[in-house]
Amino acid sequence: MERKKFKIDDYNKREPFRDATKFFIVYEGEKELNYFQLFNYLFLPPENASIIHVLEKDTIVGSQPKKLIERADFFIKNPPKDISVTPSEDDKFRFVLDVDQHPADQFNELFEYCNKLNDANLYISNICFEVWLYFHLDKREKIESNTSSDMKTELGVKHTELKIKNYPKGYLTAERIKKAIEEAENADNDKTNFFPSKNSSKVYLLMKELLIHSILNEDVNNPETL
């Protein structure tokens, strides 16, 4: 049976249990939001964990790292009235963003901001989130793009070649998630640095964390059993 389409406006309708692990994710763009929104809907039992999305429409508009800091601060001090949990500086805050053309000092500022919070981290994709998505489909060595726009086109071509029906549902299978994590981890040449090397993504670290709480925990480790 086909699942209903999950809209952005539905993001807070699956209320987490009181004792569930809560991840407040601050996104740069909508493509990232759609990916994690569907992962939350399909694979995170609300009694285990839940993703609460920190959105532009509820907070501060802007995709620069410094704007994400402002967005998180605003969200903590002025949480949307329609969410059932009250965020605080002690919660798990996760920032997902691209390199794009943002000044390097802003990434350092965001990293320092994460260190000031009780439990926060940032996960950057270089050159863009599409690199992380590409890892679901093929190896890093196959990437030819040098710009964000070219990378998006290249992902689209690969998506069409493999006849994937839609995004993000076509990417969110146990086998593809496992593949993406392995590719990204192999591409991570400096695991001590928060900033990723070219054509790599630190998003795999967040996915490994989320998978611990998901119904895919066993399946991702043993995809042949699906």
Side-chain angles (χ1 to χ4, degrees):
M1 182 173 64
E2 188 72 16
R3 294 178 183 269
K4 78 178 182 73
K5 293 206 177 208
F6 208 59
K7 303 185 296 294
I8 291 175
D9 289 341
D10 292 331
Y11 78 95
N12 63 344
K13 290 184 179 177
R14 286 190 69 199
E15 296 187 356
F17 282 50
R18 183 183 299 273
D19 297 326
T21 302
K22 301 170 187 66
F23 295 89
F24 292 86
I25 301 187
V26 187
Y27 305 95
E28 179 184 11
E30 188 171 309
K31 186 172 288 288
E32 296 93 326
L33 164 64
N34 291 338
Y35 180 92
F36 286 101
Q37 179 178 255
L38 189 61
F39 180 87
N40 181 65
Y41 179 63
L42 294 178
F43 302 128
L44 286 182
E47 66 272 17
N48 292 350
S50 186
I51 294 172
I52 294 91
H53 312 286
V54 183
L55 305 175
E56 276 186 317
K57 74 181 185 69
D58 293 324
T59 55
I60 302 295
V61 175
S63 61
Q64 303 94 330
K66 66 178 182 180
K67 287 297 182 182
L68 299 191
I69 294 173
E70 295 176 16
R71 189 180 303 170
D73 272 340
F74 186 93
F75 185 82
I76 292 169
K77 296 172 184 175
N78 306 278
K81 295 180 181 179
D82 55 356
I83 64 172
S84 60
V85 293
T86 303
S88 74
E89 293 181 351
D90 294 330
D91 286 315
K92 295 181 182 292
F93 278 85
R94 304 293 184 256
F95 295 79
V96 178
L97 64 160
D98 302 340
V99 170
D100 285 335
Q101 301 297 320
H102 303 316
D105 62 321
Q106 288 194 23
F107 290 104
N108 293 328
E109 185 180 354
L110 178 53
F111 180 71
E112 291 172 3
Y113 175 77
C114 288
N115 288 336
K116 291 177 183 177
L117 296 177
N118 181 62
D119 188 345
N121 214 329
L122 72 158
Y123 304 95
I124 304 171
S125 292
N126 187 2
I127 40 186
C128 55
F129 190 69
E130 280 75 9
V131 170
W132 165 249
L133 298 179
Y134 190 93
F135 289 158
H136 293 66
L137 311 182
D138 213 333
K139 296 183 177 298
R140 178 197 191 190
E141 292 77 14
K142 299 287 187 66
I143 295 177
E144 299 178 354
S145 301
N146 292 309
T147 67
S148 177
S149 60
D150 287 346
M151 186 69 241
K152 291 172 184 177
T153 300
E154 187 172 351
L155 176 66
V157 170
K158 181 65 65 174
H159 180 107
T160 301
E161 286 177 353
L162 296 178
K163 299 180 180 180
I164 298 175
K165 291 185 178 180
N166 56 40
Y167 171 84
K169 189 174 182 181
Y171 292 71
L172 288 171
T173 67
E175 185 176 3
R176 291 196 188 281
I177 293 170
K178 178 178 183 292
K179 175 182 176 59
I181 290 173
E182 289 179 348
E183 289 296 329
E185 192 159 17
N186 290 337
D188 191 359
N189 297 324
D190 187 354
K191 293 180 172 57
T192 64
N193 194 337
F194 73 88
F195 201 87
S197 57
K198 186 177 178 182
N199 291 344
S200 68
S201 173
K202 297 285 186 175
V203 170
Y204 79 92
L205 295 169
L206 175 56
M207 288 303 297
K208 290 177 74 171
E209 184 178 18
L210 293 174
L211 284 171
I212 293 171
H213 305 278
S214 80
I215 62 173
L216 293 180
N217 195 21
E218 294 294 326
D219 294 338
V220 170
N221 291 329
N222 300 285
E224 66 274 7
T225 64
L226 290 182

